[in-house]
Amino acid sequence: RCVARCPDPRSPGGVTGGVSGLLHTPHVGLIRATLCAASVLLLAGCGDSSRSHSASPGGTLVIATTADPDLLFPPLILKTQARQIAEVIYDYLAVVGLGMNTIGDAGFEPRLAESWKWSDDSLAISFKIHPKAHWHDGVKADAEDVRFTFAVYTNQQLASPMADELRNIDSVTVRDSATTVFWYHARSPHQFLDATEMMILPRHVLEKVPADSLREMGTRGPPIGTGRFRFRNWNRGSSVELAADSGNYRGAPGLRRVIWSVAHDQTAAVTRLLAGDVDFYPALRRENVDELKSNKELRVMSLPSTEYGFMMFNLRDPNQHARAHEIFRSRELRRALTMAINRNALVQNLFDTLALVAIGPTVRVFPTTDSHLPQIPYDPQRAKAILDSLGWIATPPDGYRKRGGRELAFNLLAPSSSQIRMKMAVLLQEQLKRIGARVRIEEMEFNSFAARLRAHDFDAILWSWNLGASATAIRDTWGGAAARQKGGLNYGSYENATFDAYADSATSTTNLAASKRYFTKAYSLIIDDAPAIWLYEPRTVIGAHRRVRTGRMRPDAWWFDLGSWHIPGSEEIPRDKVPGVQ
């Protein structure tokens, strides 16, 4: 749902980029740009699905990825690589549609559930399992599988990171072999999303496994799902191979095989794409685009992402958390620093057309986001005047400002693993120097960087969030004391009770228009308070071989419709034809 995912050190800008991210789950249960850049870039939801589709599975798609999945047992999945693979092996009851609406059930697309019906009091939803659905071992899927899945996800011994997201579900019962019913404690805008957060598990395979052994079973046993691809093999550290489930209840997929091939790093992945060793890589950097465009066998696509990057201020003293930060406690000073940053120039310099300037702690693709949110303007002269009024006076010979003998200086943490963020740190340092603020860049490897973040041990830090399919993560990422007590992600310790109230209203109303109004009020307030400088909203940039006909891609999941992709028989190459794979 509101998956607030931490940056990956190897992908563009140190962000997930849709392929090599790690889902960040600091407490149990947190898991939950419309820019026409150039003629080669495609908008989300577009692809080649309109081209002729082969009548039976054909072709092999090899996807480059920069990390092995952690495991393929859905309740315990943390890595994006694992999510990509598991979501085409297993099925949800239904999935969020391309419109990215998560309020009610509007726009959701059926998967294992053929249909659903709400109770008159909206405190129960019954799901009808597709009558032709079977597990990959041939056993018929039924309502008991759904009830069993809920029991596994909420089992305390297993400790699934998804368990807390299911807390509003009181129970799951079986009405008949084809019908399962979700019963809720209370009405909520996201009741339907709650019920469709679980990848449904095969009861006949797992029900006899003791609860305390499920975690081990999940790492050992071959995954058996109802999805359009079935597990074939996993050569750990090298590749994961799936084969078409040709008799699938949703129809045979267009591809014969899909292989996730592990490359050592981003450079190796691009090299393999250019050499024709892989067909698809969904985390290109700006410097790769021209090289790929010059290769007639490859094409470049992009789609909006659900990610935003920012420079976050720590509003608490990193050495004494009970005390306010000596510099950043001042709202006016934070606003002055924001005015000093030419965000348009910064994004153009680093991303060209492959990112937009961020508009706040949200992204444009959500239906609850007003893409015209008022911003603190770029105005360095006004920034200087504000600092003068606050008593921060520029002093010779270098022009850095001081007040009461203290210099206007702070440390900025940046991960050495991210070229984009290292360059961004230097540009921010240069722009803030012009108004008399000294920025000392602290470069460090990613694990140390992330540890400092979690410990709130920083003055300022370059960070990003990937929000997944929903905007509701705002309460955890920027909420006040109550959210922090639940283990939230507000590492900069921003607090504003009015913001919290608007965010709560935005995420609790069942009316989309009202939700957007409340979100707009919350975003406007936090933008004015400037606990961070909202920097960039990157696009997911994809390189693909032209023989691959892609389907629909959702902004948070390019693999959303992988079953519809195909390779025409006339364009197949030797690796497409594999003995024993139908």
Side-chain angles (χ1 to χ4, degrees), residues 95 100 135 151 203 250 253 297 332 359 452 466 469 545:
V95 294
M100 302 294 287
W135 296 100
R203 176 177 58 95
R250 293 177 56 217
E297 298 299 316
E332 290 305 307
I359 56 174
R452 290 276 298 274
N466 190 319
H545 197 283

Side-chain angles (χ1 to χ4, degrees), residues 3 19 97 105 220 271 279 351 362 410 421 477 498 509 538 556:
V3 184
V19 65
D105 62 2
R220 289 191 295 105
T271 299
D279 303 299
F351 295 96
T362 186
F410 60 91
R421 279 195 279 177
T477 51
T498 305
T509 180
D556 68 319

